[in-house]
Amino acid sequence: MLDRLSSGVRRMLRAAVPDAVRSGVSVARGAAALRQAQAVKDPAKLDHAVELLRRGIRELPDDHPAQTIYQSELGAALLTRYERSGRDDDLDEAVAALRLAASTTRHAERLEYAANLGTALRTRFERLGRMADLDEAITVMRATLDAVPREYRHRAAMSTNLGNALLDRFERLGQPPDLDAAIEAGREAVDLTPDRAPEMPRHLSNAANIHTTRFQRFGAAADLDEAVRLLRTAVDATPLSHPSRAVYMANLATALSIRSSERADQADLADAVAANRGAVEAAPADHPDRPGMLAALSRSLILQYEHTGAAPDLEEAVSAARAAADASPAAHPARARVLTALSAALWLRFTRSGAQDDLEGALTASRESVDTTPDDHQALAPRLFQLGLSLNTRFDHTGERPDADQAIAAWRRAASAPAAAAESRLQAARAAGGLTAQLGDGWPDAAGAYREAVALLPLLAWQGLHRPDQERRLARHDDLVSDAAACALAADTPALAVEMLEQGRAVLWSRQLEIRSDLTLLSEAAPALAARLAQVRGLIDTPPTRLRPPGRG
């Protein structure tokens, strides 16, 4: 009886209250429920908030001015639910709602809604890998940032978000202008934020990641040092209980691991392992970045094992990589990266123990990693290199020629990957040439692979680098040119041998004699002009994408 009476009262209220008012009540209740759900992380409350917001939108005419506000609230709720549940339909609906909200004609609201739309589009790119989403996100973010003054209260957040999106696109396509723009956006976010502001560690960490990536691509030690400095500051400024501390520690560990490899600095390596362990311990089991943190821990433990030879380090590296793979299902955005770490750990253990299961596991992990990496992704080359390494190792143990042929094919494919770093391409080309020469029945092919490697030397030690960085990178390949020339002679192409010797000598002499002026002083006086000049020099030094086969023309 009471239920029927209550139902009758509700029907009377619906008849008496205008749609807009009733809709506003639903949306207000939904927004309140959303705030509560975000505070307590209650899935039921979040579902209730989404339903209330949907009801409010349904009860309002499509052309009502409040539709954009309500759609924005709904988009925020759906994005929150996606981040917790991973439901693709929530993400698609969030993008649609925020796109509608961003179409409002009111300037101030349009900026806010457009910023939220950019975030949602980048999130969908991370989930599905569609470049159209990332391109649209960057377009929206840039337009929003251009429309606000420097003193706008949310400009720093907009800048760091744009920097992250540009970094995503660089990591996918390898275009230097994206990386340069990302550096500028990250720097602006830091410059606009007060030192003690709670959001400062996030901006510092994001800016540092861009510097780390630029070092990995172009090799300037100053970028790596800046990344470590920014990340140490971010970690020190973040309370132990803060949920983002684990991410900042993981980013610091990555930069320290890279620097320890470059400089053989054991203090950096010890700090990297400690930071990686701290990140994994601090991250909840369902943290979306936990698989990547475990993979990073595995990589740093491998470096430590290679220095100490301590078996427990290698076993822990394998265990961490397996845990990372187990925590990243097929659709996880980090799975290909995680599988490469697992392959590296298993391959290394096989070289020490000879356990065939480890080698087969390394091959399985590498193949899946390569198969799920787009052709235009800059990480394809190092993943192909790892696959070739495992295939070559199996060939060494079994003598099965198809393994050798597949290893060479993987390395040749890596060497021709246009988005990859010069170091990765050169390493792969050299490995292909070396194995082909070892087989002894394809000297022209071996010479062709070495020719690709030699042609990459100018890009490896490009003129935008300071002299010590150039020398450090070239020192890793000090015998490349002599090996290449010997291979060309074995292929009965003496002209090619002379050509490669001259090319190698030209690279070394141009650096030794500083034919082009160093950019240090210009960088101090006019950093933007120096960066542009360095970029132009890099383009000039870039080798052709297609090389003539040896012995022709």
Side-chain angles (χ1 to χ4, degrees):
M1 177 66 179
L2 185 59
D3 288 343
R4 287 197 299 272
L5 179 60
S6 177
S7 177
V9 170
R10 284 198 295 272
R11 283 197 301 271
M12 291 172 60
L13 286 172
R14 280 198 296 269
V17 179
D19 288 344
V21 176
R22 189 164 58 245
S23 172
V25 171
S26 295
V27 170
R29 291 173 58 201
L34 172 60
R35 306 297 179 262
Q36 188 177 15
Q38 289 171 330
V40 301
K41 296 186 177 181
D42 184 339
K45 291 184 181 297
L46 188 53
D47 292 343
H48 183 55
V50 169
E51 187 49 43
L52 285 171
L53 290 165
R54 282 173 173 160
R55 183 191 307 170
I57 289 171
R58 287 195 303 267
E59 291 171 344
L60 200 65
D62 291 344
D63 58 352
H64 196 283
Q67 273 283 0
T68 53
I69 301 173
Y70 297 175
Q71 292 284 356
S72 178
E73 288 286 350
L74 176 61
L78 289 164
L79 198 55
T80 300
R81 191 165 73 175
Y82 164 76
E83 289 168 351
R84 297 183 185 177
S85 69
R87 289 172 46 178
D88 289 345
D89 57 335
D90 277 346
L91 187 53
D92 289 339
E93 189 179 352
V95 169
L98 290 168
R99 185 176 279 124
L100 193 155
S103 67
T104 179
T105 57
R106 295 178 61 183
H107 180 70
E109 289 177 354
R110 183 171 67 253
L111 295 175
E112 181 179 343
Y113 300 158
N116 294 338
L117 172 61
T119 299
L121 287 164
R122 177 174 176 250
T123 300
R124 192 163 69 177
F125 163 77
E126 291 174 336
R127 171 70 180 86
L128 302 175
R130 294 198 298 239
M131 285 304 300
D133 281 335
L134 185 57
D135 290 339
E136 184 182 357
I138 291 171
T139 298
V140 168
M141 289 176 177
R142 274 184 162 148
T144 305
L145 201 59
D146 290 344
V148 300
R150 186 173 174 81
E151 62 273 12
Y152 182 64
R153 69 185 189 282
H154 297 310
R155 185 176 176 93
M158 291 176 174
S159 292
T160 201
N161 289 341
L162 174 60
N164 289 340
L166 288 163
L167 180 60
D168 287 341
R169 192 162 70 180
F170 173 79
E171 290 178 339
R172 176 66 181 272
L173 302 178
Q175 297 298 318
D178 279 340
L179 192 57
D180 294 339
I183 288 280
E184 292 302 315
R187 183 179 294 121
E188 179 180 87
V190 172
D191 290 345
L192 291 175
T193 306
D195 289 344
R196 297 185 179 276
E199 62 271 22
M200 176 59 101
R202 174 174 175 256
H203 298 336
L204 289 168
S205 179
N206 289 338
N209 290 341
I210 305 170
H211 281 284
T212 300
T213 299
R214 190 163 71 173
F215 169 80
Q216 290 176 298
R217 182 59 185 261
F218 298 116
D223 273 325
L224 193 53
D225 290 337
E226 179 68 358
V228 170
R229 183 189 71 81
L230 292 172
L231 286 163
R232 286 195 187 280
T233 304
V235 170
D236 291 344
T238 305
L240 293 175
S241 59
H242 195 283
S244 295
R245 184 179 171 85
V247 175
Y248 306 154
M249 291 179 69
N251 293 340
L252 173 61
T254 296
L256 287 168
S257 290
I258 295 170
R259 194 167 73 174
S260 72
S261 295
E262 291 291 323
R263 303 176 185 176
D265 189 324
Q266 297 311 308
D268 273 350
L269 181 55
D271 288 348
V273 172
N276 270 322
R277 284 197 175 115
V280 170
E281 291 169 2
D286 60 349
H287 195 292
D289 295 330
R290 185 176 173 83
M293 294 175 185
L294 286 163
L297 173 60
S298 177
R299 287 190 292 269
S300 63
L301 287 165
I302 285 175
L303 292 174
Q304 185 163 277
Y305 169 76
E306 290 173 339
H307 174 68
T308 65
D313 285 337
L314 181 55
E315 293 305 315
E316 187 181 355
V318 173
S319 296
R322 284 197 188 281
D326 291 343
S328 53
H332 196 286
R335 182 164 177 82
R337 174 162 46 97
V338 163
L339 288 172
T340 301
L342 175 59
S343 178
L346 290 170
W347 173 84
L348 182 59
R349 192 167 70 175
F350 170 80
T351 64
R352 302 303 190 265
S353 69
Q356 194 65 28
D357 286 348
D358 281 343
L359 183 54
E360 296 304 320
L363 276 166
T364 299
S366 263
R367 283 196 171 104
E368 183 182 340
S369 176
V370 168
D371 289 346
T372 55
T373 301
D375 288 341
D376 58 357
H377 199 296
Q378 71 159 356
L380 180 63
R383 292 169 188 173
L384 281 165
F385 185 84
Q386 179 62 40
L387 174 60
L389 193 64
S390 298
L391 286 164
N392 186 32
T393 300
R394 192 166 71 174
F395 167 70
D396 287 341
H397 283 76
T398 67
E400 295 291 334
R401 179 60 183 261
D403 283 337
D405 292 339
Q406 290 176 39
I408 292 168
W411 286 333
R412 292 300 293 263
R413 184 182 169 196
S416 64
E423 180 75 47
S424 296
R425 295 173 62 192
L426 191 154
Q427 184 184 35
R430 188 172 187 180
L435 180 53
T436 305
Q438 177 187 329
L439 295 174
D441 58 2
W443 288 107
D445 289 337
Y450 271 116
R451 188 184 193 188
E452 288 186 55
V454 172
L456 287 163
L457 283 174
L459 191 57
L460 183 72
W462 67 296
Q463 292 286 355
L465 291 177
H466 297 315
R467 281 283 306 282
D469 293 327
Q470 293 175 345
E471 293 168 358
R472 172 176 48 81
R473 302 189 95 194
L474 287 172
R476 298 181 188 139
H477 305 282
D478 56 356
D479 56 350
L480 168 62
V481 175
S482 59
D483 288 348
C487 191
L489 290 174
D492 196 24
T493 52
L496 177 60
V498 172
E499 175 189 326
M500 290 191 289
L501 285 170
E502 288 298 319
Q503 187 171 1
R505 186 174 67 170
V507 171
L508 295 174
W509 275 106
S510 68
R511 274 55 177 175
Q512 183 67 28
L513 299 176
E514 296 183 346
I515 292 175
R516 302 179 194 175
S517 61
D518 191 282
L519 297 180
T520 305
L521 295 177
L522 181 59
S523 296
E524 295 173 356
L529 180 59
R532 179 60 181 157
L533 179 58
Q535 182 181 350
V536 171
R537 284 181 170 180
L539 292 172
I540 293 172
D541 281 339
T542 301
T545 56
R546 297 187 62 85
L547 299 170
R548 292 176 297 172
R552 293 185 187 177

